Amino acid sequence: MEISPLTPGIGAEVQGVSLSAAPGEHTVDALREALRKHLVLVFRDQPLSLGALDAFGRRFGAPHIHPATPGAEGFPALLPVHTDADSKTYAGSMWHSDVSCDPEPPMGSILHLHEVPDTGGDTLFANMYAAWDALSDPMKRLLEGLSAVNASAHHFGGYFGYKGHEASENPFPESVHPVVRTHPETGRKALYVNETFTTRIVELQPDESKAVLALLYRHLAAPRFQCRVRWRPGTTVMWDNRCTQHHALWDYYPRTRSGYRYTIAGERPR
Ligand code: SIN
């Protein structure tokens, strides 16, 4: 296995691994280690059937079932990510950590795209350890110990107009999570508020909360914390939702971009 960093701080391309035969223990351990180090892993030229993507994802953990969007036919754990000339909305339109509104948000996600526009449709990823580390000590002291509401009715029910699906008892979850969380594997602190789901900081006055969140959203989107992934058909990207955020670009209308996401279950942020 060969690992080539995309930037010094986030992202790496992994060569020499085939994802179509679910990898053995040794390879899974090596990929987990690479994910801890680089936060986002990019695999090229991996034509994957739905079954192979599902099997690969399960090597990293049980699936997280999306609360509002039904999975693919026969594969409830695979979330369709599809945009074409008829689309009115798209996934990833603002910075976010996947489904942070859940009481136990997913630890990671694996997105496989089989059809992409010849140019455009890149995904930006940002390092939330770096965003936290770059804050001043007085700002860190203000934020540490604060908690924030992560809601979804405005996003899933509003932006997407979802009604929920049969497997979901609560399509629009809302949860309170720490503003800064500690990664359970690395022990490092990462900023954990995002402009898609986080609506307010519980302990602050409404105006204070609005101002602090606006400052943090601007801060965490600084280019120095980012890498940018350009997709090709068969590109598969795995990311750690506990210490990254991502933002997909829809600059390719009316062309098609299509694939599936296996989302890996996680634990309550602390
Ligand atoms: C997502 O938010 O999971 C979608 C990301 C993408 O389409 O690149």
Side-chain angles (χ1 to χ4, degrees):
M1 187 187 304
E2 214 177 292
I3 296 178
S4 318
L6 295 177
T7 75
I10 179 168
E13 264 198 43
V14 182
Q15 283 105 21
V17 188
S18 166
L19 310 187
S20 55
E25 205 66 39
H26 182 70
T27 305
V28 170
D29 286 349
L31 290 175
R32 282 188 192 280
E33 175 67 34
L35 190 65
R36 275 194 290 274
K37 186 163 174 200
H38 299 288
L39 323 185
V40 176
L41 302 179
V42 180
F43 305 86
R44 298 293 186 186
D45 307 316
Q46 303 279 344
L48 289 178
S49 64
L50 295 190
L53 175 60
D54 192 74
F56 176 71
R58 283 171 197 268
R59 298 292 289 132
F60 293 87
H64 170 280
I65 302 296
H66 197 279
T69 325
E73 183 83 36
F75 291 94
L78 299 185
L79 185 76
V81 173
H82 178 93
T83 317
D84 60 26
D86 296 327
S87 301
K88 303 278 184 281
T89 56
Y90 78 108
S93 58
M94 295 187 295
W95 284 102
H96 66 287
S97 172
D98 287 327
V99 206
S100 69
C101 52
D102 248 25
E104 296 185 341
M107 59 114 337
S109 301
I110 304 168
L111 178 61
H112 172 78
L113 295 185
H114 52 261
E115 182 173 352
V116 299
D118 43 358
T119 179
D122 296 355
T123 307
L124 307 176
F125 290 90
N127 180 336
M128 291 303 108
Y129 294 137
W132 171 254
D133 290 346
L135 293 170
S136 66
D137 287 340
M139 182 56 77
K140 285 180 178 157
R141 281 197 292 276
L142 168 71
L143 297 175
E144 231 155 356
L146 296 184
S147 51
V149 175
N150 285 251
S152 60
H154 64 286
H155 188 60
F156 296 151
Y159 179 73
F160 285 105
Y162 291 147
K163 306 262 183 296
H165 58 90
E166 280 166 14
S168 181
E169 279 172 16
N170 179 14
F172 308 135
E174 179 170 316
S175 306
V176 173
H177 295 311
V179 166
V180 51
R181 68 181 292 182
T182 302
H183 193 289
E185 293 171 31
T186 65
R188 292 185 65 187
K189 289 187 174 153
L191 206 49
Y192 197 65
V193 288
N194 68 82
E195 62 180 353
T196 297
F197 296 110
T198 311
T199 54
R200 74 188 157 86
I201 297 177
V202 175
E203 296 82 358
L204 301 185
Q205 299 288 0
D207 281 352
E208 295 170 342
S209 164
K210 216 166 151 186
V212 170
L213 286 176
L215 180 150
L216 293 176
Y217 295 158
R218 187 184 158 95
H219 169 74
L220 63 82
R224 69 186 189 279
F225 304 136
Q226 297 174 17
C227 69
R228 179 169 179 142
V229 173
R230 178 160 294 179
W231 299 82
R232 302 198 295 251
T235 297
T236 303
V237 179
M238 177 189 294
W239 62 86
D240 188 328
N241 281 306
R242 300 165 296 187
C243 54
T244 66
Q245 292 190 29
H246 54 285
H247 176 20
L249 302 182
W250 192 15
D251 51 1
Y252 51 89
Y253 184 85
R255 285 166 293 155
T256 299
R257 181 179 183 272
S258 193
Y260 293 92
R261 189 180 86 194
Y262 181 91
T263 314
I264 311 165
E267 59 198 44
R268 179 171 276 281
R270 288 180 209 289

